[in-house]
């Protein structure tokens, strides 16, 4: 009897210790009153996924940083592993500058919030998750984050805080430069292919390309250097390919240093400080205001950081200061995605004890911006046989009195034939075209309702006609002609072209080839590879 009692008492003690350890570990993971280092950030994402396995999915972008850290993404959706036809996709990217850290912590908190509220039966959050595929990348520059923290710790008065965690909670970091760049001292938000230079040149032409500048992207990458003469970085390249290969509709890049919602263009034609609006300027202003108006203080007319006053809490990027090689403009010009840059506070690396207040200021705005993914129109594009058409062009004309104004920025249909076009309220004529088919135009009125989960549905069935065949190799030769002396061309294979180039001592291979009836680019580094379709009319090419 005594032995059984002793055994029972031991069992209670062991169970209590296990519960205590689990709770202690859990509290460390979800402690949002302090910053998370890389291991803690990954653990927090794992915890959220384990708590909500049916609506979350974790994946790493294909390559790791120079200091061997992953860029990990958590996805929220009722079918998180795959794109669902007619369900738009949204992304948040944070910590692009390693010492600008509020967005990193807000995305961890947002992940926990979405999971918790879904499990609690919050109707709004369940509706949002079941109708949107949401990607959260808390840190695009984990190496820079670690450098910022280590620099602060090295320069702290010995014994003042006892450990790094206490230092981050009570002090944060105040150096505005150390950790901003990645491990190779390159600013990632100046390191994307500068597609602005192409679009400003094209704008002088009567009939010009105005979207999906993917060949131009490869041309820039092959040059090996960004517009600041810095080598293209691993983080930049893999995020660029991530943007181009996924059907993102809306996005935001989270920074610190001021308090404002910034929208494209980030650069002007001659790199001067001036308002540089996109063809979607009205839409971008509305998207920016959707964040600033729901933020607790961003819309204030006071100088939040003793620098600038931003009317309605928003600004055009180039009107504030021009940025060459930014990710915001790259999204708009290389894909179907519309991106904002959100500056979330004056302090780049505030004390951890201030994070709860920052979450309270931003929670409503973070969720509200995701809802904007459902603005405008969406639909399916197929042929008479019911086969979905990839890469059809969607042109939009807005009614202005008795006239129709062309919005000079087209979007394209995805591989599954679905498309999404963000639009402000109004009357529109929508024209869909694809080589070998008759173009078709329909009219639609857009009237967005708060927290709607269905953009106005507008489907197209295109009728086929005879068309002149084009030659892919001729197009690629023409586009890359000015770089032909620096590129190793391999044209011996009928349906394949290989380009080898080197940056930062690493040889990359880009292979253009036919794959499942689509031309794709295969981008390789060692055993890792990226594969996605080229956004050119591929199904009507003759070899």
């Amino acid at each position: 009897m005594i032995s059984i009692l002793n055994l029972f008492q031991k069992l209670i003690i062991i169970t209590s210790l296990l519960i205590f350890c689990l709770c202690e570990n859990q509290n460390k993971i979800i402690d949002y009153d302090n910053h998370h280092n890389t291991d803690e950030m990954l653990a927090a994402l794992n915890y959220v996924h384990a708590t909500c396995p049916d609506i979350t999915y974790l994946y790493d972008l294909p390559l790791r940083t120079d200091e061997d850290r992953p860029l990990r993404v958590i996805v929220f959706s009722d079918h998180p592993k795959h794109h669902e036809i007619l369900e738009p996709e949204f992304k948040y990217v944070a910590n692009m500058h390693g010492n600008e850290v509020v967005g990193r912590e807000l995305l961890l908190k947002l992940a926990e919030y979405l999971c918790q509220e879904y499990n609690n039966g919050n109707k709004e959050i369940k509706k949002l998750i079941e109708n949107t595929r949401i990607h959260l990348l808390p840190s695009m520059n984990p190496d820079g984050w670690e450098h910022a923290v280590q620099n602060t710790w090295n320069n702290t008065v010995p014994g003042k805080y006892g450990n790094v965690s206490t230092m981050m909670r009570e002090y944060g970091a105040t150096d505005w430069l150390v950790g901003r760049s990645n491990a190779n001292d390159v600013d990632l938000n100046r390191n994307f292919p500068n597609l602005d230079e192409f679009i400003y040149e094209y704008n002088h032409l009567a009939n010009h390309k105005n979207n999906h500048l993917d060949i131009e992207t490869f041309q820039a990458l092959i040059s090996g250097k960004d517009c600041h003469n810095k080598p293209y970085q691993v983080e930049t390249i893999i995020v660029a390919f991530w943007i181009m290969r996924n059907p993102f509709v809306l996005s935001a890049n989270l920074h610190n240093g001021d308090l404002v919602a910034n929208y494209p263009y980030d650069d002007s034609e001659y790199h001067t400080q001036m308002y540089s609006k996109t063809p979607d300027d009205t839409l971008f202003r509305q998207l920016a205001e959707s964040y600033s108006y729901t933020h607790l203080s961003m819309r204030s007319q006071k100088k939040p950081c003793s620098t600038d006053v931003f009317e309605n809490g928003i600004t055009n990027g180039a009107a504030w200061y021009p940025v060459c090689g930014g990710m915001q403009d790259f999204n708009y010009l290389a894909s179907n995605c519309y991106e904002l840059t959100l500056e979330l506070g004056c302090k780049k690396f505030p004390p951890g004890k201030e994070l709860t207040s920052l979450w309270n200021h931003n929670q409503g705005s973070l969720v509200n911006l995701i809802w904007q993914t459902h603005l405008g129109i969406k639909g399916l594009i197929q042929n008479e046989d019911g086969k979905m058409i990839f890469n059809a062009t969607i042109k939009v004309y807005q009614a202005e009195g008795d006239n129709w104004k062309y919005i000079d920025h087209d979007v394209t249909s995805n591989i599954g034939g679905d498309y999404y076009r963000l639009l402000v309220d109004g009357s529109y004529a929508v024209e869909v075209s694809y080589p070998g088919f008759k173009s078709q135009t329909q009219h639609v009125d857009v009237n967005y309702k708060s927290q709607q989960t269905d953009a106005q549905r507008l489907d197209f069935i295109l009728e086929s006609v005879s068309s002149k065949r084009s030659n892919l190799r001729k197009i690629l030769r023409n586009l890359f002609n000015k770089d032909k002396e620096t590129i190793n061309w391999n044209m011996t294979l009928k349906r394949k072209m290989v380009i080898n180039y080197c940056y930062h001592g690493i040889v990359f291979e880009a292979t253009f080839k036919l794959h499942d009836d689509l031309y794709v680019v295969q981008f390789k580094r060692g055993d890792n590879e990226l594969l996605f379709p080229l956004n050119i009319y591929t199904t009507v090419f003759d070899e």
Side-chain angles (χ1 to χ4, degrees):
M1 184 73 175
I2 295 177
S3 59
I4 296 176
L5 180 59
N6 288 339
L7 182 62
F8 184 70
Q9 289 174 334
K10 289 179 180 179
L11 181 61
I12 291 176
I13 293 171
I14 293 172
T15 303
S16 300
L17 287 172
L18 285 172
I19 293 173
F20 173 79
C21 291
L22 287 171
C23 291
E24 184 180 43
N25 185 51
Q26 190 179 80
N27 287 333
K28 287 181 180 178
I29 291 175
I30 62 173
D31 176 11
Y32 292 104
D33 287 326
N34 202 8
H35 300 278
H36 295 70
N37 64 28
T38 301
D39 290 339
E40 291 166 344
M41 175 183 69
L42 299 179
L45 294 176
N46 290 337
Y47 170 78
V48 172
H49 174 55
T51 305
C52 291
D54 295 335
I55 59 165
T56 62
Y57 172 58
L58 292 173
Y59 67 91
D60 291 345
L61 298 189
L63 306 178
R64 296 168 75 93
T65 69
D66 272 32
E67 295 183 351
D68 200 36
R69 295 185 176 96
L71 302 190
R72 184 158 299 170
V73 181
I74 187 168
V75 181
F76 285 83
S77 172
D78 53 348
H79 295 87
K81 292 186 179 181
H82 307 287
H83 172 68
E84 292 184 79
I85 300 299
L86 293 174
E87 181 172 288
E89 306 214 9
F90 177 95
K91 64 179 168 68
Y92 273 127
V93 177
N95 200 210
M96 185 184 202
H97 289 147
N99 65 340
E100 298 178 18
V101 303
V102 170
R104 171 179 171 130
E105 298 304 326
L106 291 185
L107 291 192
L108 293 181
K109 180 62 177 175
L110 178 62
E112 184 205 30
Y113 173 80
L114 293 175
C115 170
Q116 186 178 63
E117 293 303 303
Y118 187 92
N119 286 342
N120 289 342
N122 183 316
K123 292 182 179 180
E124 174 189 337
I125 297 302
K126 285 177 68 71
K127 182 180 176 183
L128 183 64
I129 290 174
E130 290 169 357
N131 291 278
T132 321
R133 191 165 182 240
I134 304 162
H135 303 245
L136 308 180
L137 173 58
S139 181
M140 183 178 164
N141 186 8
D143 293 355
W145 189 97
E146 299 289 346
H147 288 199
V149 172
Q150 189 60 50
N151 174 72
T152 303
W153 178 249
N154 290 343
N155 289 282
T156 298
V157 176
K160 183 175 182 179
Y161 294 109
N163 55 62
V164 172
S165 180
T166 302
M167 178 195 73
M168 289 192 296
R169 176 181 284 110
E170 300 299 323
Y171 180 73
T174 58
D175 195 305
W176 273 54
L177 295 178
V178 176
R180 173 184 174 89
S181 301
N182 73 344
N184 296 321
D185 197 28
V186 175
D187 187 330
L188 300 180
N189 205 30
R190 308 292 188 276
N191 191 237
F192 277 80
N194 181 23
L195 301 184
D196 295 282
E197 66 172 332
F198 291 100
I199 201 65
Y200 285 126
E201 180 181 344
Y202 294 165
N203 285 342
H204 294 292
L205 306 175
N207 298 306
H208 61 271
K209 188 175 182 181
N210 64 16
N211 68 97
H212 287 81
L213 306 186
D214 45 13
I215 296 296
E216 292 82 353
T217 296
F218 300 132
Q219 182 175 327
L221 291 175
I222 287 165
S223 73
K225 297 290 182 68
D226 64 21
C227 52
H228 301 276
N229 204 34
K230 295 284 189 178
Y232 287 107
Q233 299 298 293
V234 169
E235 297 94 335
T236 308
I237 292 174
I238 60 176
V239 170
F241 275 71
W242 182 52
I243 291 167
M244 295 170 70
R245 71 179 297 187
N246 284 283
F248 297 123
V249 177
L250 181 60
S251 172
N253 180 14
L254 309 184
H255 285 255
N256 285 91
D258 220 308
L259 190 63
V260 66
N262 176 48
Y263 56 91
Y265 285 123
D266 258 340
D267 202 1
S268 61
E269 185 169 7
Y270 301 107
H271 311 295
T272 56
Q273 184 180 8
M274 60 178 291
Y275 197 109
S276 184
K277 65 181 181 180
T278 69
D280 286 293
D281 188 65
T282 302
L283 169 64
F284 271 120
R285 290 180 62 88
Q286 179 173 311
L287 291 171
E289 288 174 352
S290 76
Y291 197 92
S292 68
Y293 278 37
T294 47
H295 190 279
L296 293 189
S297 56
M298 188 176 286
R299 193 182 175 187
S300 171
Q301 295 305 298
K302 297 179 180 180
K303 289 185 177 182
C305 303
S306 301
T307 52
D308 302 289
V309 174
F310 302 102
E311 185 177 358
N312 296 322
I314 67 173
T315 185
N316 171 261
W320 188 16
Y321 60 89
V323 170
C324 176
M327 184 167 70
Q328 177 171 264
D329 289 3
F330 180 83
N331 270 270
Y332 184 62
L333 296 174
S335 72
N336 286 327
C337 188
Y338 292 69
E339 179 163 281
L340 303 177
T341 301
L342 303 175
E343 301 282 345
L344 300 180
C346 311
K347 298 178 183 178
K348 292 194 172 190
F349 203 130
K353 60 188 179 183
E354 297 180 9
L355 290 172
T356 297
S357 175
L358 288 164
W359 165 251
N360 292 335
H361 276 69
N362 286 277
Q363 175 188 337
S365 298
L366 289 167
V367 174
N368 188 54
L369 185 60
I370 301 174
W371 280 111
Q372 309 310 305
T373 315
H374 300 277
L375 282 172
I377 60 175
K378 68 179 180 180
L380 298 175
I381 301 173
Q382 55 190 309
N383 63 18
E384 299 161 294
D385 298 325
K387 183 177 180 180
M388 298 301 171
I389 298 177
F390 162 62
N391 207 33
T393 297
I394 297 96
K395 295 181 178 290
V396 176
Y397 302 80
Q398 185 173 16
E400 291 189 348
D402 296 331
N403 300 314
W404 292 97
K405 179 185 177 183
Y406 173 46
I407 302 176
D408 193 8
H409 181 79
D410 305 334
V411 297
T412 60
S413 57
N414 300 313
I415 293 177
D418 56 338
Y419 77 92
Y420 311 84
R421 190 19 165 130
L422 299 180
L423 296 168
V424 299
D425 288 356
S427 298
Y428 298 91
V430 182
E431 177 188 359
V432 172
S433 61
Y434 187 77
F437 292 82
K438 294 180 182 179
S439 63
Q440 183 183 137
T441 301
Q442 297 186 47
H443 295 83
V444 64
D445 292 325
V446 172
N447 183 20
Y448 177 74
K449 297 179 179 60
S450 179
Q451 297 186 2
Q452 70 177 31
T453 52
D454 281 311
Q456 182 72 36
R457 179 77 177 268
L458 200 63
D459 296 336
F460 292 82
I461 300 176
L462 303 185
E463 298 179 17
S464 62
V465 296
S466 60
S467 63
K468 184 178 180 180
R469 301 288 181 168
S470 303
N471 188 290
L472 174 64
R473 291 179 294 173
K474 181 179 178 181
I475 290 176
L476 291 173
R477 279 197 185 102
N478 289 339
L479 287 169
F480 287 103
N481 186 54
K482 68 179 182 180
D483 292 314
K484 63 183 179 181
E485 294 182 358
T486 61
I487 299 172
N488 174 26
W489 293 90
N490 180 352
M491 298 299 295
T492 59
L493 298 178
K494 191 173 182 63
R495 292 174 178 268
K496 180 176 178 180
M497 181 182 71
V498 178
I499 299 172
N500 294 310
Y501 64 100
C502 178
Y503 93 93
H504 200 59
I506 303 171
V507 176
F508 283 80
E509 178 184 276
T511 304
F512 300 84
K513 61 184 180 181
L514 192 66
H515 178 80
D516 293 338
D517 296 325
L518 295 173
Y519 279 99
V520 300
V521 61
Q522 180 187 47
F523 193 78
K524 297 188 69 176
R525 180 195 182 196
D527 295 330
N528 297 297
E529 70 175 21
L530 301 162
L531 190 73
F532 67 93
L534 276 173
N535 208 302
I536 50 181
Y537 297 122
T538 57
T539 57
V540 295
F541 281 87
D542 261 344
E543 293 289 348

